[in-house]
Amino acid sequence: MTVISIEPATPDRWEDLQQLFGPTGAYGHCWCVYFRRRAKDFTGSVSCSPPERGASNHETLKRVTLDGKVPGLIAYEDARPCGWVSVAPREDFIRLSRSRSLRPVDPNEPGVWSLVCFWLPPRRRRKGMGSRLLIAAIDHARACGGRVLEAYPIDTAGGRAPSAEVYTGTVRMFQKAGFTCTAHPVSGRPIARLALKEG
């Protein structure tokens, strides 16, 4: 696979993001806004039919993107979108601050960015695209002034897991990129962190 570029999801790339996710959105109507919505709002949308839930989530991502918040990065091959990583300042992901298992140890720590999701079409998986997106996310967060990049991978203990279960990435993947992985003090969930700037 020849990846031409990995670019920020700016307003002018909204159509590309829609094309990448397809008519039902990434992960079955999620549209990669799970971490951007309060649990009660997302759960409320779950009670809707899948098309209604997808429409609500689609509008959330569209609003964020067209407002210029840059919700993540899009990978392109031959000018066609082929991969996605959701990375932004940690405060953009409201669910993190309310989550018992992922709540920040220091919610007032400045300059923390979070990487919460990867999405690749099935035929693009297990070909190294996730690692390329991770490196691009590191560079993007650093260029935007981030001091720390934080992520919430799963530990596959050296094995493999279904793609739908590793949308946040794996511990091994982040460790290979230089992240330090520790257990969340309350939940024990792995938290991966990488200092982007000294001091």
Side-chain angles (χ1 to χ4, degrees), residues 92-115:
D92 288 3
F93 302 107
I94 190 170
R95 186 176 291 249
L96 292 175
S97 66
R98 297 165 179 259
S99 167
R100 182 178 180 276
S101 60
L102 297 174
R103 182 179 295 125
V105 175
D106 180 0
N108 298 314
E109 181 182 10
V112 179
W113 280 54
S114 290
L115 187 162

Side-chain angles (χ1 to χ4, degrees), residues 124-171:
R124 303 284 188 182
R125 296 169 188 168
R126 306 191 196 283
K127 296 181 180 179
M129 175 65 82
S131 295
R132 290 179 172 183
L133 284 164
L134 174 54
I135 297 304
I138 294 169
D139 292 342
H140 175 69
R142 181 181 286 121
C144 290
R147 300 178 64 85
V148 174
L149 181 58
E150 189 173 88
Y152 318 97
I154 68 162
D155 190 353
T156 57
R160 293 174 72 169
S163 296
E165 294 181 12
V166 294
Y167 68 93
T168 57
T170 66
V171 166

